[in-house]
């Protein structure tokens, strides 16, 4: 009977440990994300180009990270550009250069950043902005 | 007489333990879980937004009362096959509850600021899978296994 009680205790311990291990990168990510350690902004480069930038300063890496920009007119996408990083680590910056002429006809621009937190939790951050207000800093 | 007194004493201690566990479940279900789910939503939105928990208060109360009932009944009936079946049922219901409290596995927040729309989503399927494998499955299988092992041990006089 004592062995069964010990086994029950060990099973409970393993369960709690597994959930704690699974949760910990998520908790760290959300805490640092809320502290503003991810910067997403669009700047005008001159020469008719925009640059969409993601500055990542969160301790937990984002796996299979992609940065995508879509230009929409009347709800229909007519232009798309993207770049990616297999593992976006703390201190890294990813940028995408956009030709202003290519998106000149757009009424809306969608910037989408997506990745997987610690390869476990798919995370997606999308900004939908009127084309004439594209240049700026985007943090919810 | 001694048997009846012993039975009543065992029943009383089972009920007391069951009620204590049930109160803990109730606090967890009705008070802690809405806070967790709302915090999760706000963390994803990265700002304080007015959020209703994914389950209405009535459903939370019903879940709390159901866990209370199952726990008390399992404790009171611990020498019968009903006890492990009730514990297995409680484990399944706990999983369903956790699934719903975690917004069905996908937390999605939409916020508008100065004409700019932010849509943020977070997929928690991995966490739900870990919870299912390491907590729910043992919670379903082990009480039944242990019931039969205890019965076997009693049968051999150990």
């Amino acid at each position: 009977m004592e062995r069964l009680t010990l086994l029950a205790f060990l099973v409970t311990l393993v369960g709690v440990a597994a959930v704690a291990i699974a949760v910990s990168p998520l908790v760290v990510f959300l805490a640092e994300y809320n502290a503003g350690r991810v910067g997403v902004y669009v700047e005008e480069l001159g020469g008719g180009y925009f640059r969409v930038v993601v500055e990542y300063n969160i301790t937990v890496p984002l796996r299979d990270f992609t940065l995508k920009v879509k230009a929409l007119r009347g709800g229909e996408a007519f232009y798309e550009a993207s770049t990616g990083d297999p593992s976006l680590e703390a201190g890294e910056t990813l940028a995408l250069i956009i030709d202003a002429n290519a998106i000149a006809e757009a009424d809306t621009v969608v910037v989408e950043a997506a990745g997987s937190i610690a390869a476990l939790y798919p995370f997606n951050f999308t900004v939908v902005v009127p084309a004439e207000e594209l240049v700026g800093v985007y943090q919810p | 007489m001694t048997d009846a007194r012993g039975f009543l004493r065992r029943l009383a201690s089972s009920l007391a333990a069951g009620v204590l566990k049930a109160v803990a479940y109730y606090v967890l279900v009705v008070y802690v879980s809405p806070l967790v789910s709302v915090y999760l939503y706000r963390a994803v939105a990265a700002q304080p937004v007015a959020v209703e928990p994914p389950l209405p208060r009535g459903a939370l109360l019903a879940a709390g009362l159901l866990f209370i009932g199952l726990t008390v009944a399992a404790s009171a009936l611990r020498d019968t096959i009903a006890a492990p079946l009730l514990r297995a049922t409680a484990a399944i219901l706990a999983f369903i509850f956790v699934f719903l409290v975690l917004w069905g596995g996908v937390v999605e927040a939409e916020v508008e600021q100065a004409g700019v729309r932010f849509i943020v989503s977070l997929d928690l399927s991995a966490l739900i899978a870990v919870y299912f494998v390491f907590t729910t499955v043992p919670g379903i299988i082990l009480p039944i296994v242990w019931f039969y092992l205890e019965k076997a041990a009693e049968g051999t006089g150990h």
Side-chain angles (χ1 to χ4, degrees), chain B residues 76-151:
Chain B
L77 298 168
R78 68 176 182 181
D79 289 332
T80 70
I81 187 62
L85 294 176
L86 288 169
R87 289 191 207 287
T89 305
I92 294 168
L93 284 171
F95 172 74
I96 293 170
F97 177 74
V98 165
F99 179 79
L100 293 172
V101 163
L102 294 183
W103 302 86
V106 179
V107 187
E108 200 169 276
E110 194 167 318
V111 176
E112 189 152 337
Q113 279 179 349
V116 178
R117 211 156 42 103
F118 298 90
I119 304 154
V120 186
S121 75
L122 174 63
D123 189 336
L124 298 172
S125 303
L127 180 60
I128 290 171
V130 166
Y131 179 84
F132 181 76
V133 168
F134 288 94
T135 306
T136 305
V137 170
I140 293 168
I141 295 171
L142 291 178
I144 298 170
V145 168
W146 283 332
F147 174 79
Y148 284 107
L149 285 176
E150 281 177 11
K151 287 295 173 196

Side-chain angles (χ1 to χ4, degrees), chain A:
Chain A
M1 286 302 295
E2 289 75 22
R3 267 187 280 179
L4 286 179
T5 308
L6 180 63
L7 191 57
F9 174 73
L10 288 173
V11 168
T12 306
L13 202 60
V14 166
V16 169
V19 172
I21 290 166
V23 155
S24 56
L26 182 63
V27 169
V28 172
F29 179 88
L30 287 176
E32 295 185 9
Y33 167 75
N34 269 262
R37 296 179 74 172
V38 180
V40 179
Y41 58 90
V42 179
E43 56 187 8
E44 204 164 350
L45 284 181
Y49 290 93
F50 292 110
R51 186 165 68 170
V52 181
V53 182
V54 172
E55 289 179 347
Y56 190 74
N57 289 301
I58 295 181
T59 315
V60 180
L62 265 186
R63 306 274 186 225
D64 302 319
F65 181 78
T66 58
L67 177 62
K68 209 179 285 185
V69 173
K70 285 187 227 178
L72 279 64
R73 186 176 51 234
E76 295 289 323
F78 65 90
Y79 171 87
E80 185 173 312
S82 64
T83 185
D85 189 329
S87 180
L88 193 63
E89 310 273 342
E92 288 185 3
T93 298
L94 197 67
L96 187 58
I97 308 287
I98 305 293
D99 184 349
N101 287 326
I103 62 169
E105 303 294 315
D107 49 34
T108 308
V109 176
V110 178
V111 177
E112 186 182 308
S116 182
I117 301 167
L120 287 174
Y121 307 105
F123 182 75
N124 188 301
F125 176 82
T126 301
V127 182
V128 181
V129 56
E132 63 271 16
E133 295 170 32
L134 182 60
V135 175
V137 177
Y138 302 114
Q139 271 177 314

Side-chain angles (χ1 to χ4, degrees), chain B residues 9-96:
Chain B
R9 206 174 291 136
R10 276 200 328 269
L11 182 63
S13 68
S14 292
L15 283 173
V19 168
L20 277 173
K21 272 194 241 177
V23 167
Y25 276 130
Y26 182 82
V27 167
L28 185 70
V29 163
V30 176
Y31 295 103
V32 174
S33 61
L35 290 175
V36 167
S37 64
V38 168
Y39 170 79
L40 197 59
Y41 185 95
R42 287 177 178 167
V44 168
Q47 63 173 264
V49 290
V51 185
E52 285 296 319
L55 291 173
R57 196 166 177 85
L60 291 172
L61 187 60
L65 291 173
L66 194 56
F67 281 125
I68 289 172
L70 286 170
T71 306
V72 170
S75 291
L77 298 168
R78 68 176 182 181
D79 289 332
T80 70
I81 187 62
L85 294 176
L86 288 169
R87 289 191 207 287
T89 305
I92 294 168
L93 284 171
F95 172 74
I96 293 170

